[in-house]
Amino acid sequence: MDEPRQQLAELYDETPVLVAIYDSFDRLRYANRAFRSIFYVASDEAPSWADLMRRNHAEGRGTVIHAADMEKWLVSAQSRRGKTGFRAFETDLVDGRWLWMTETVQSDGWMLCIASDITAIRAGGRSLRQDRDRAIKASHTDELTGVANRRFVTGRIEELIRGAGDGSGSICVLDLDNFKCINDRFGHGAGDIILQDFAKRIQKQVRRSDCFGRIGGEEFVLVLPRTGMEEAELIVERMLATIRTSRPLQDRAVSYTFSAGIAEVRLGETVAELLGRADHALYSAKVGGRNRIHLYAA
């Protein structure tokens, strides 16, 4: 390590400001002493963000998480985490401290997190700002599944189109097969369980740079920046394989599948045009027998 880098590493370990770097798979690749101390990370370990949150929540330490179902909370948080280039927010710690945290994400999915202890600053407006942050989160979240909603996904598609001149990108529309039959046969409660299972299983396979959300009914969208249709097809094929083995209704051996249509972004088009081409490909997948992927061809 050259001298400037050595000095930087030493300064990071001396500062009370929390500094951490996550890779594109959301695994912790660097954390300074302040971050490791607050979030209980040993110097020789590199946990994923989800594992870190899960572990600290189980031990009653770290970030305050108001959730009866931790796994559902993780699905919801991961559907928005790192999907924009920069965000800033406040977060509480179990020990009473209060952090102002920023997340800066590179185009390849690596994330820089910087946080400062602001417990003693502007405490009077804390509740109001927390209410605001919760309202923003709710406005971007699908209530049933916890993943991103149409509004949030549309914003990511708009960003994809604006960046179309810098490289390829694709979207995929995913639609559960014969979902009305499932609702009719087993009831809407069972249908809700299947939607939640689908969202949870797909979200676990979504890359940091991608965005996955529900846009209505049994229809979901996957936004894949810097990804051509052939690569997108490989990604979604793995998702198909995962869903085929799922049996979410514990008292019934019920399986389900989905169909998918993929379209590549074009410079200057609208969100509706891009979604329309992906929908056209989805229709071809449905007509072709369902439980499969179709790529849009002009």
Side-chain angles (χ1 to χ4, degrees), residues 170-186:
S170 302
I171 70 165
C172 178
V173 178
L174 306 90
D175 189 89
L176 273 63
D177 295 325
N178 300 311
F179 189 70
K180 183 179 184 301
C181 295
I182 293 173
N183 274 334
D184 290 345
R185 182 178 178 187
F186 301 107

Side-chain angles (χ1 to χ4, degrees), residues 220-294:
F220 296 76
V221 168
L222 186 60
V223 184
L224 303 158
R226 297 173 302 281
T227 307
M229 286 198 294
E230 290 75 16
E231 183 183 356
E233 183 178 23
L234 294 174
I235 292 170
V236 180
E237 188 63 59
R238 290 194 294 269
M239 295 175 175
L240 270 174
T242 296
I243 296 303
R244 287 171 184 144
T245 63
S246 179
R247 304 292 185 271
L249 303 182
Q250 296 181 356
D251 55 339
R252 303 180 181 95
V254 176
S255 62
Y256 69 99
T257 60
F258 71 92
S259 300
I262 299 174
E264 196 162 11
V265 64
R266 294 174 179 172
L267 187 63
E269 70 179 335
T270 66
V271 171
E273 289 168 341
L274 179 54
L275 280 171
R277 291 191 293 109
D279 273 328
H280 183 83
L282 172 65
Y283 176 78
S284 297
K286 294 284 190 180
V287 170
R290 299 183 176 88
N291 189 22
R292 64 190 64 210
I293 306 164
H294 194 87

Side-chain angles (χ1 to χ4, degrees), residues 22-34:
Y22 292 86
D23 67 18
S24 58
F25 296 99
D26 220 4
R27 184 166 296 279
L28 186 66
R29 299 295 294 272
Y30 168 80
N32 70 345
R33 185 179 298 136

Side-chain angles (χ1 to χ4, degrees), residues 34-192:
F35 186 97
R36 293 197 305 270
S37 173
I38 283 182
F39 290 104
Y40 301 90
V41 182
S43 59
D44 60 346
E45 63 173 335
S48 69
W49 176 82
D51 285 342
L52 183 58
M53 293 295 103
R54 189 181 288 116
R55 181 176 72 189
N56 283 344
H57 181 66
E59 296 292 333
R61 62 194 189 189
T63 304
V64 173
I65 298 172
H66 299 289
D69 186 334
M70 182 62 181
E71 295 307 311
K72 187 175 181 179
W73 182 90
L74 285 171
V75 168
S76 179
Q78 288 175 306
S79 73
R80 298 177 307 278
R81 176 175 160 81
K83 307 307 180 187
T84 57
F86 175 84
R87 72 166 181 154
F89 57 95
E90 297 169 13
T91 187
D92 281 351
L93 300 180
V94 172
D95 63 11
R97 280 179 287 182
W98 178 22
L99 302 180
W100 174 256
M101 183 170 288
T102 65
E103 296 175 347
T104 305
V105 185
Q106 291 184 314
S107 59
D108 60 3
W110 282 63
M111 175 191 285
L112 170 66
C113 296
I114 298 177
S116 299
D117 187 335
I118 56 170
T119 306
I121 302 175
R122 297 174 63 193
R126 178 179 183 180
S127 178
L128 180 62
R129 291 192 298 275
Q130 287 177 326
D131 289 344
R132 175 207 60 195
D133 290 344
R134 281 192 287 268
I136 292 172
K137 175 183 175 182
S139 73
H140 292 160
T141 304
D142 176 62
E143 185 176 357
L144 175 65
T145 63
V147 298
N149 62 10
R150 176 183 284 272
R151 175 185 293 182
F152 191 84
V153 170
T154 299
R156 306 294 76 73
I157 297 176
E158 290 171 345
E159 290 176 358
L160 183 73
I161 293 171
R162 286 196 296 268
D166 299 327
S168 63
S170 302
I171 70 165
C172 178
V173 178
L174 306 90
D175 189 89
L176 273 63
D177 295 325
N178 300 311
F179 189 70
K180 183 179 184 301
C181 295
I182 293 173
N183 274 334
D184 290 345
R185 182 178 178 187
F186 301 107
H188 289 281
D192 288 350

